[in-house]
Amino acid sequence: MARPRQFDEKNAVTSATELFWRRGYHATSVRDLGDELKLTPSSLYRTFTDKHTLFLRALDHYRATESAQARQRLDAADRPVREVLREWMLWLVTCPADGMSGRGCFVVNTATELGTADEKVRQRTEAAFEVTRQALRSVLAKGRDRGELSTDLDIDDAVELLFTTVLGLRVRERVGHDIEPLTTAIDLAIRVLGPAPTEPA
Amino acid sequence: MARPRQFDEKNAVTSATELFWRRGYHATSVRDLGDELKLTPSSLYRTFTDKHTLFLRALDHYRATESAQARQRLDAADRPVREVLREWMLWLVTCPADGMSGRGCFVVNTATELGTADEKVRQRTEAAFEVTRQALRSVLAKGRDRGELSTDLDIDDAVELLFTTVLGLRVRERVGHDIEPLTTAIDLAIRVLGPAPTEPA
DNA sequence: CAACTTGTGGAGCGATCGCTCCCATACTAG
DNA sequence: CTAGTATGGGAGCGATCGCTCCACAAGTTG
């Protein structure tokens, strides 16, 4: 009923996500958003309530697209754990750079900018982090079940290091560090998984 | 000559640093700074030129105090490398929490908030990062010279992982992660240094 | 002391902030 | 068609932004 929208809400959220991602929450003004999304203030506020709510929508959108894609890439691969992990981590610090380098991870940027002050934001960033840890956990478990990892390896411990490394990598991508040293860090991080057990068959 | 200042410039910079550290650049207003430093706008601008210049002063102050202290703690210790590294990394995610947890690292927060957009800021954050890498390098070199590390270990490679891990740890401290998982990550990161070479004497 | 120099306090500048309101517009329902 | 409803466009709200200006205060110098 009544007049239909002249804009696509999903496209708008996508644009908002890119803007917040690049500039952060405080440095992005409602007018910037209006220009980018091609929305007048009235439409923007009618649709998204306010800036903060739109930001939460952007965070959710990021998790549903970028984060979900990352999770998929990690889960789906049916190849040796070490290779999967290596390529996944390389992708994390490369793919965001489809001509779009230096953006880092929206979740990490948000988490450091807003800290723990904003509870709704905190819940979302923490949930995103937990998803990543869980994905790492299941990949390592798969590797162990396949006999690629020593049973001596404590998976939860390894997850903590890999996860922490990923956060560091995201920061380094954000500040424009070259891929080579990042690759070095990745290769070394994977080495903590220890050598592949020799087949006892 | 003429009327002397009623405030201490160093104290003012210290207060400004704490404010910028907690809230970030964009979320800290000049009025916030004025209230905290007990400076009227006129004194603030006469002394520090403008907000951006004061922010650079704050960054420099942080590097000269917090960062320098971190570097010292790493260099000074005359004990086994692994112990030194472990305690240093633990201190990094604990000490900032003298009742002041969740602040993370001012340099990391700044680097992710402002990215590479602000050249003067970028130079400073990058220089701070390089200092940390260099400190790690010299500690590892010392350990190798003492025979605590295998000569097979590529020190530059290890520096990349440890440095990346430190960035990740700083992010996790900022978002309020518990000390236990961080300790786990630290212990595992140190394990990439490999076992101590058995004395060939 | 007077003359000069520098710091302090505060009013207030223009610009921008997040946001609201109103009205013409453009659609659906009857 | 008319009546009803939600949108698009945009002026503009009060608040705050970074910052400036100026009269006055508090010192030093001769």
Side-chain angles (χ1 to χ4, degrees), chain B residues 123-142:
Chain B
Q123 285 173 5
R124 281 164 171 82
T125 55
E126 197 48 54
F129 288 155
E130 182 52 35
V131 166
T132 300
R133 280 199 294 269
Q134 193 54 49
L136 285 168
R137 207 168 286 128
S138 69
V139 162
L140 292 183
K142 204 193 288 182

Side-chain angles (χ1 to χ4, degrees), chain A residues 110-159:
Chain A
T110 299
T112 55
E113 181 186 357
L114 303 178
T116 55
D118 187 318
E119 179 56 20
K120 288 183 180 172
V121 168
R122 212 213 90 249
Q123 286 173 5
R124 281 164 170 83
T125 55
E126 197 49 52
F129 288 153
E130 183 51 36
V131 166
T132 300
R133 279 199 294 268
Q134 192 53 49
L136 284 169
R137 208 169 285 129
S138 69
V139 163
L140 292 183
K142 205 193 288 181
R144 184 197 49 199
D145 293 347
R146 283 176 178 163
E148 296 177 25
L149 299 176
S150 162
T151 49
D152 290 348
L153 179 77
D154 186 313
I155 286 186
D156 288 333
D157 288 4
V159 166

Side-chain angles (χ1 to χ4, degrees), chain A residues 184-199:
Chain A
T184 302
I186 291 168
D187 286 333
L188 213 46
I190 289 173
R191 221 185 285 174
V192 305
L193 301 179
T198 50
E199 195 62 37

Side-chain angles (χ1 to χ4, degrees), chain A residues 20 25 53 73 78 87 94 100 110 131 139 141-142 176 182-183:
Chain A
F20 278 130
Y25 179 75
T53 306
R73 279 179 167 263
D78 199 32
E87 280 168 26
T94 310
M100 296 297 244
T110 299
V131 166
V139 163
K142 205 193 288 181
L182 301 190
T183 308

Side-chain angles (χ1 to χ4, degrees), chain B residues 2-3 6-7 31 40 42-43 46:
Chain B
R3 182 175 177 174
Q6 292 180 352
F7 67 96
R31 279 171 179 80
T40 55
S42 66
S43 292
R46 180 191 301 284

